Amino acid sequence: MGKLVVVAIGGNALVKGNDYDTIQDQYESVCEIAVNIADMVEAGCEVIVTHGNGPQVGYTLRRGEIAEKVAGMPSVPLVNCVADTQGGIGYQIQQALTNEFIRRGMKQKVATVITQVEVSSNDPNFKKPSKPVGSFFTLEQAQELEKEHPDWVFVEDSGRGYRRVVPSPQPIDIVEKDAIKSLIESGYVVIAVGGGGIPVVKRADQTYEGIDAVIDKDLATSLLADQIQAEILIITTGVPKVFIHFGKPNQKALDKITVSETKQYVLEEHFPKGSMLPKIEASLSFLEKSGSRVIITNPESLKAAINNAAGTHIVKSYGEDV
């Protein structure tokens, strides 16, 4: 096959619920996903892995706030929480993949790149936070936390509960893209743009400065895939395929759709804003630039999806070889 494939793993795929949110729980989830990624590499794909950090960055931020309140520890800025989770999750994926390759007798090497992603300090999302992070709360719990922290904002997240939201600016550039390309060309499986990347802004003198935000993982992954000229982008989620009329008697799974059909479904508001819509928007962005195919599926279907036997495949036209 030999295709350059970018695989995005959702942060929620690593935390299967409030009762399974320990570091060990997360590592067990990572190990399960590593088996599926190793299948793709063994089949001949060049793979770059990205991952979300929505729950994890919320946990890290909250730990810092509690430590400051209870023990007077210095507070941890949100941008540093993003960096911390990028390193921690990247380490787990790197180790799990390395171990899986060893078990299979493969000599594949793995490297994690701590990745900065440029955003604009004038992005309107800084004034209107929209990215859910951390745990799910009941309405009553969210209202209590808002009383305790007047500057916090909570939103209902896809019927699963209430979550805190933080700024989520649009990604402009992957700062370490050349390093990522170099590692790929050297035969590495690369883990990059973790949690959407560490958000930075460019000063007037062209130097960088971190800024408090969490970039959408799928949009940053789409940008990375374009900048490294990947052929295929795979976005994993909690369902094996994308649906229209989801949860209704006439719900329909989508096997293969074109860009124009996808845009029509967006106009018809088939995709929830808090869950599937960002993945669809990232898919369209990639396909309207350099990409040839996007696959949306769950992690356990990765091998089948890359062999056209699972997932929703979005292509530019029906003439595409899928």
Side-chain angles (χ1 to χ4, degrees), residues 67-121:
E68 180 183 23
K69 181 178 180 180
V70 174
M73 299 289 289
S75 62
V76 182
L78 177 57
V79 64
N80 290 77
C81 293
V82 174
D84 289 347
T85 55
Q86 186 180 114
I89 298 171
Y91 147 69
Q92 287 191 323
I93 298 173
Q94 178 174 309
Q95 185 180 87
L97 275 174
T98 298
N99 289 344
E100 184 63 26
F101 290 142
I102 291 171
R103 279 190 281 270
R104 298 183 186 209
M106 298 169 64
K107 296 183 179 180
Q108 196 76 40
K109 294 182 179 180
V110 188
T112 302
V113 177
I114 300 302
T115 315
Q116 301 172 95
V117 174
E118 184 185 349
V119 301
S120 169
S121 58

Side-chain angles (χ1 to χ4, degrees), residues 20-41:
Y20 300 93
D21 58 0
T22 69
I23 296 297
Q24 184 58 36
D25 290 330
Q26 178 173 284
Y27 186 62
E28 290 173 5
S29 296
V30 166
C31 289
E32 292 173 6
I33 294 171
V35 172
N36 300 305
I37 295 172
D39 285 341
M40 295 175 58
V41 176

Side-chain angles (χ1 to χ4, degrees), residues 161-177:
Y162 289 79
R163 297 176 79 189
R164 182 181 173 187
V165 290
V166 298
S168 183
Q170 291 285 317
I172 297 172
D173 185 40
I174 310 297
V175 178
E176 284 78 21
K177 58 183 177 293

Side-chain angles (χ1 to χ4, degrees), residues 11-314:
N12 286 310
L14 308 179
V15 177
K16 296 181 178 179
N18 289 343
D19 294 331
Y20 300 93
D21 58 0
T22 69
I23 296 297
Q24 184 58 36
D25 290 330
Q26 178 173 284
Y27 186 62
E28 290 173 5
S29 296
V30 166
C31 289
E32 292 173 6
I33 294 171
V35 172
N36 300 305
I37 295 172
D39 285 341
M40 295 175 58
V41 176
E42 196 167 34
C45 294
E46 294 180 292
V47 177
I48 302 94
V49 181
T50 71
H51 61 82
N53 70 344
Q56 297 86 353
V57 76
Y59 299 160
T60 303
L61 190 62
R62 186 71 176 131
R63 287 190 196 103
E65 289 160 347
I66 292 170
E68 180 183 23
K69 181 178 180 180
V70 174
M73 299 289 289
S75 62
V76 182
L78 177 57
V79 64
N80 290 77
C81 293
V82 174
D84 289 347
T85 55
Q86 186 180 114
I89 298 171
Y91 147 69
Q92 287 191 323
I93 298 173
Q94 178 174 309
Q95 185 180 87
L97 275 174
T98 298
N99 289 344
E100 184 63 26
F101 290 142
I102 291 171
R103 279 190 281 270
R104 298 183 186 209
M106 298 169 64
K107 296 183 179 180
Q108 196 76 40
K109 294 182 179 180
V110 188
T112 302
V113 177
I114 300 302
T115 315
Q116 301 172 95
V117 174
E118 184 185 349
V119 301
S120 169
S121 58
N122 297 319
D123 192 293
N125 205 270
F126 283 109
K127 295 181 180 179
K128 191 176 181 181
S130 63
K131 175 67 175 175
V133 299
S135 301
F136 292 89
F137 298 98
T138 65
L139 176 59
E140 293 74 18
Q141 290 171 324
Q143 289 172 337
E144 284 299 316
L145 285 167
E146 284 182 327
K147 290 178 183 176
E148 184 180 345
H149 302 277
D151 59 330
W152 286 14
V153 178
F154 283 83
V155 299
E156 198 279 326
D157 187 358
S158 304
R160 296 174 290 181
Y162 289 79
R163 297 176 79 189
R164 182 181 173 187
V165 290
V166 298
S168 183
Q170 291 285 317
I172 297 172
D173 185 40
I174 310 297
V175 178
E176 284 78 21
K177 58 183 177 293
D178 290 337
I180 295 167
K181 286 180 185 177
S182 180
L183 284 166
I184 295 165
E185 291 167 358
S186 298
Y188 280 79
V189 171
V190 181
I191 302 153
V193 193
I198 302 164
V200 297
V201 295
K202 191 176 284 187
R203 302 187 185 101
D205 64 358
Q206 302 303 296
T207 60
Y208 294 102
E209 178 182 9
I211 190 166
D212 284 342
V214 176
I215 302 167
D216 181 85
K217 169 263 304 177
D218 295 316
L219 292 178
T221 299
S222 174
L223 177 61
L224 171 66
D226 174 58
Q227 292 191 334
I228 65 172
Q229 297 293 292
E231 296 172 74
I232 300 172
L233 168 61
I234 302 180
I235 299 177
T236 67
T237 183
V239 292
K241 295 183 179 182
V242 178
F243 290 81
I244 57 173
H245 307 295
F246 185 72
K248 300 177 181 179
N250 60 335
Q251 79 171 21
K252 177 186 176 183
L254 302 174
D255 295 319
K256 178 182 176 183
I257 52 176
T258 65
V259 167
S260 61
E261 288 172 332
T262 305
K263 288 181 177 179
Q264 184 59 41
Y265 289 140
V266 170
L267 290 174
E268 294 170 1
E269 299 184 347
H270 283 286
F271 309 122
K273 293 182 179 179
S275 56
M276 189 56 70
L277 184 59
K279 296 172 176 36
I280 295 296
E281 291 174 337
S283 301
L284 292 172
S285 176
F286 175 63
L287 290 169
E288 288 174 344
K289 295 175 183 175
S290 61
S292 62
R293 176 172 32 151
V294 174
I295 305 170
I296 301 178
T297 191
N298 51 9
E300 54 267 36
S301 299
L302 282 173
K303 183 179 180 180
I306 202 69
N307 288 307
N308 310 316
T312 295
H313 295 244
I314 308 175

